[in-house]
Amino acid sequence: MQPSEQKNTSILLHKLNAPQRAAVEFCTGPSLVIAGAGSGKTRVLTHKIAYLLEQGLPPYYILALTFTNKAAREMKQRIGELVGEKSARRLWMGTFHSIFSRILRNEAERIGFQSNFTIFDTSDSNNLIKLIVKDMNLDDKQYKASAVHNQISRAKNALILPKAYAQNAELLEYDRAAKRPQLFEVYQRYQSRLRQANSMDFDDLLVYTNVLFRDHPEVLEKYRNQFQYILVDEYQDTNFAQHLIVKQLADAHHRVCVVGDDAQSIYSFRGANIDNILKFKTTYPETQVFKLEQNYRSTKNIVNAANSLIKKNTEQIFKNVFS
């Protein structure tokens, strides 16, 4: 999928600066786009997708993953303005959870669910945990539903299922110290009740996608063949489950572009793993790195102050952001 010289003069590229254009034009292997604040990250993502479409890649062969529905809508709208709404509508673009719930509904029976499974939101999950805590005669002040749910969520994001959790000495010691020694059993009952109700919570959408791809290689092969190019926004905020899904899908062709900024990673408390972006080149040694360093949003003083703080990070991908 090497763009031709003629198409390199595409009008799509005219309003991009040199680093943005280089990031958009590279389509033959893995790429890491390090995008400082206000550097045109969304512009690069939308123009890269539009560029791929212009080069002849059908929209349903492109998988674009975001972290919010708002970001997905805005990007799809911008792409529609560049190449037409018909093509934009046919993209597989959305949040991790929306895209993989779509796949799981198509493949539900393979993992023991019906395709009309219910998705529990946070309130539903907390209410179910409260019922389980009550059934087990546990102290609801020690086993506060939100705290229990957060711990279960962290385990799922690390792909630690109930059986493995119950055998993990470090997690069991953590729960004992938090005065919740039976949390592993709450987790087991929670998962069992969800399955009995033909339901998943948000974290399960990632867990069961990994289970599906692990246990059914023919299904993984089908989606590998479909998603010929994969793009991921805010890669510094991905957790282990999300990273592994992307890796499984990209392992055959390595046509994957991730965009993010290690200096803007703030979600470790909910399972985000900064190593996913810091060690991307270890996962894909042939990675091309593109740095968007020109900040169009902030004044020189603000940029310099931010740089002075960022330089203190012990592990980082160095960039020289300027206004």
Side-chain angles (χ1 to χ4, degrees):
M1 193 170 54
Q2 182 63 44
S4 68
E5 290 300 318
Q6 184 179 2
K7 287 191 176 180
N8 279 344
T9 61
S10 163
I11 194 170
L12 289 170
L13 306 176
H14 288 174
K15 293 185 178 181
L16 302 177
N17 64 32
Q20 291 171 343
R21 177 169 176 163
V24 166
E25 288 184 293
F26 181 76
C27 300
T28 55
S31 60
L32 170 60
V33 181
I34 299 299
S39 63
K41 167 180 69 79
T42 303
R43 175 181 287 258
V44 166
L45 278 170
T46 54
H47 280 68
K48 191 174 185 75
I49 292 169
Y51 185 71
L52 287 164
L53 294 170
E54 187 184 69
Q55 300 305 301
L57 190 65
Y60 47 84
Y61 282 178
I62 298 173
L63 173 63
L65 298 166
T66 67
F67 272 82
T68 67
N69 289 314
K70 181 183 177 183
R73 283 194 302 270
E74 288 179 355
M75 286 174 61
K76 195 171 286 190
Q77 181 181 346
R78 290 199 202 182
I79 293 164
E81 291 168 358
L82 292 170
V83 296
E85 290 185 11
K86 183 177 179 182
S87 290
R89 280 199 304 268
R90 296 171 70 197
L91 292 164
W92 278 67
M93 173 181 278
T95 65
F96 277 88
H97 295 91
S98 66
I99 292 294
F100 296 115
S101 66
R102 183 175 168 185
I103 289 175
L104 288 172
R105 291 199 189 281
N106 290 340
E107 314 291 344
E109 292 182 5
R110 295 176 185 270
I111 53 172
F113 284 86
Q114 298 170 28
S115 61
N116 64 341
F117 61 80
T118 303
I119 300 173
F120 273 32
D121 62 17
T122 301
S123 176
D124 296 326
S125 294
N126 286 341
N127 286 337
L128 176 55
I129 288 168
K130 286 177 184 177
L131 287 174
I132 293 168
V133 167
K134 185 177 180 180
D135 289 345
M136 292 175 64
N137 293 316
L138 299 174
D139 185 346
D140 59 8
K141 292 183 176 60
Q142 293 295 340
Y143 289 84
K144 190 175 178 182
S146 58
V148 172
H149 184 223
N150 286 340
Q151 180 68 353
I152 291 172
S153 178
R154 282 192 289 269
K156 289 184 178 183
N157 287 333
L159 297 182
I160 301 172
L161 298 180
K163 185 177 179 181
Y165 193 106
Q167 298 170 349
N168 188 307
E170 185 177 341
L171 289 172
L172 295 179
E173 178 56 37
Y174 176 88
D175 291 338
R176 278 194 291 271
K179 299 182 179 179
R180 293 191 290 264
Q182 288 179 269
L183 193 144
F184 74 93
E185 188 178 347
V186 177
Y187 183 11
Q188 290 171 340
R189 293 193 184 199
Y190 174 71
Q191 281 304 98
S192 178
R193 294 276 288 270
L194 283 173
R195 184 173 277 278
Q196 288 170 15
N198 190 40
S199 300
M200 300 183 192
D201 65 15
F202 283 125
D203 299 309
D204 284 330
L205 298 173
L206 303 178
V207 169
Y208 284 118
T209 300
N210 276 288
V211 169
L212 174 69
F213 289 165
R214 181 197 69 194
D215 295 348
H216 299 277
E218 74 285 359
V219 176
L220 174 58
E221 188 66 18
K222 178 174 78 171
Y223 289 103
R224 273 181 179 169
N225 290 335
Q226 177 176 342
F227 300 134
Q228 290 294 307
Y229 207 98
I230 301 169
L231 302 100
V232 187
D233 191 13
E234 306 289 8
Y235 199 68
Q236 77 277 358
D237 292 332
T238 54
N239 57 42
F240 177 68
Q242 291 163 329
H243 164 77
L244 190 57
I245 292 170
V246 172
K247 184 177 183 300
Q248 289 179 100
L249 289 171
D251 255 357
H253 52 64
H254 286 199
R255 287 189 292 274
V256 54
C257 171
V258 303
V259 181
D261 182 4
D262 53 303
Q264 296 186 60
S265 179
I266 59 173
Y267 292 112
S268 60
F269 68 91
R270 69 180 190 197
N273 186 350
I274 188 66
D275 283 348
N276 292 346
I277 195 166
L278 291 176
K279 297 180 179 177
F280 188 79
K281 284 194 72 174
T282 303
T283 305
Y284 305 99
E286 73 275 33
T287 294
Q288 294 288 313
V289 178
F290 302 91
K291 297 180 181 180
L292 309 184
E293 297 172 308
Q294 185 169 355
N295 185 311
Y296 292 92
R297 186 186 302 156
S298 305
T299 63
K300 184 177 179 179
N301 286 343
I302 291 173
V303 169
N304 289 342
N307 282 341
S308 68
L309 290 172
I310 292 167
K311 283 177 182 176
K312 299 181 187 298
N313 289 347
T314 54
E315 287 188 86
Q316 63 171 290
I317 301 170
F318 178 76
K319 59 185 179 298
N320 184 32
V321 178
F322 61 94
S323 176

